[in-house]
């Protein structure tokens, strides 16, 4: 079983930046051969897809609400997936989670989630 640990969240003012990190452990081969993504969930809202990256890092996709502001990256040697968030807006406030992606989709692969990391954008 792959363990997923998110970190890097915090309180930031609108227009600020944060860098989130997802550390995976348990199976290096699984991580390296699996598309990964970031999701977020705000209170009273459904969990939504934020960004995804192919296993090799060659293809990256973003939700419409974050395009041009967020950048996803991965380091397979370290088993990490990062999310650089710039120009943050109050509507970005949510708990952010990482997960593997089902092949050819923006849907989560694992049926479990890490604890997530809270991002709060407020003045």
């Amino acid at each position: 079983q792959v363990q997923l640990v998110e970190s890097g969240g915090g309180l930031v003012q609108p227009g600020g930046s944060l860098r989130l990190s997802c550390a995976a452990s348990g199976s290096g081969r699984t991580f390296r051969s699996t598309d990964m993504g970031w999701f977020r969930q705000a209170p009273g809202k459904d969990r939504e897809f934020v960004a995804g990256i192919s296993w090799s890092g060659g293809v990256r996709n973003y939700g419409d609400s974050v395009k041009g502001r967020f950048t996803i990256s991965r380091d397979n040697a370290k088993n990490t997936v990062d999310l650089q968030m710039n120009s943050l807006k109050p509507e970005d406030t949510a708990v952010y989670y990482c997960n593997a992606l089902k092949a050819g989709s923006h849907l989560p692969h694992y049926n479990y989630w890490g604890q997530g990391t809270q991002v709060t954008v407020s003045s």
Side-chain angles (χ1 to χ4, degrees), residues 32 47 53 83 86 102:
R32 293 183 180 93
R47 182 177 284 111
I53 187 168
L83 185 69
N86 298 325
K102 292 183 178 180

Side-chain angles (χ1 to χ4, degrees), residues 97-112:
Y97 304 88
C98 65
N99 209 311
L101 298 176
K102 292 183 178 180
S105 80
H106 289 164
L107 300 174
H109 172 71
Y110 301 122
N111 63 357
Y112 57 88

Side-chain angles (χ1 to χ4, degrees), residues 39-42 45-49 95 97 99 108 113-114:
F39 300 80
R40 68 185 182 187
Q41 186 168 29
K45 303 290 185 180
D46 292 334
R47 182 177 284 111
E48 66 173 335
F49 170 80
V95 179
Y97 304 88
N99 209 311
W113 301 85

Side-chain angles (χ1 to χ4, degrees), residues 1 7 9-11 23 27 34 43 47 58 68 73 76 81 95-96 106-107 114:
Q1 179 173 296
S7 63
L11 175 64
S27 178
T34 303
R47 182 177 284 111
S73 62
N76 288 343
V81 181
V95 179
Y96 285 70
H106 289 164
L107 300 174

Side-chain angles (χ1 to χ4, degrees), residues 84-99:
Q84 178 66 46
M85 306 186 295
N86 298 325
S87 302
L88 284 163
K89 304 175 181 180
E91 52 262 44
D92 294 319
T93 296
V95 179
Y96 285 70
Y97 304 88
C98 65
N99 209 311

